[in-house]
Amino acid sequence: MTAPDPAVSTNEESPARDAAAPGLTGALSRYRIAAYVVGVGLLCLCAAMVLNYGFDQPQYSKIVGPVHGFLYVVYLALTVDLGLKARWPMTRTVLILLAGMVPFVSFIAERKVTRELTGAPEQTPPRAASEG
């Protein structure tokens, strides 16, 4: 038998999970920007749809709809890129892709993905000092 190679990592975590992994930091930054842009765009689209169907103002939907559609396609490409570099399973990648379709969920997914890939600890609210 040969001795294990010390260069090969034996821990459970993939080397791509390390924020210093080649290309992962840039892919994460691009994904974060896209997630915020798509999240805000989706909220604008929701407002435009309310104006369209509730107040008969279709001009806003005609502008915001195609812009959001284009930005969502960019989000899809950047999320797939991040998923490949982070070595996510297909189901995880698809769930993150779908997060851009539900209002506010892209913000939640972005925060969760960032914490996972950067290894940032969960922030807990400060506890009130007990009096007495």
Side-chain angles (χ1 to χ4, degrees), residues 107-129:
F107 302 120
I108 297 166
E110 180 276 328
R111 177 59 39 213
K112 192 171 184 179
V113 165
T114 301
R115 282 186 184 142
E116 174 198 332
L117 294 179
T118 60
E122 292 283 327
Q123 292 183 353
T124 57
R127 294 184 180 186

Side-chain angles (χ1 to χ4, degrees), residues 18-102:
D18 183 12
L24 187 61
T25 305
L28 179 60
S29 297
R30 290 186 295 273
Y31 163 76
R32 291 184 73 189
I33 292 168
Y36 276 109
V37 169
V38 165
V40 170
L42 186 56
L43 294 175
C44 292
L45 181 61
C46 289
M49 297 301 280
V50 168
L51 290 172
N52 184 14
Y53 293 110
F55 300 100
D56 198 28
Q57 300 286 324
Q59 66 270 22
Y60 301 109
S61 298
K62 290 179 182 179
I63 296 168
V64 176
V67 171
H68 173 70
F70 174 76
L71 293 174
Y72 184 70
V73 171
V74 172
Y75 169 81
L76 294 176
L78 294 175
T79 303
V80 168
D81 178 49
L82 179 62
L84 291 172
K85 289 180 179 163
R87 298 180 185 157
W88 288 338
M90 181 66 76
T91 53
R92 166 112 193 211
T93 304
V94 169
L95 288 174
I96 302 295
L97 291 172
L98 293 175
M101 296 180 71
V102 182

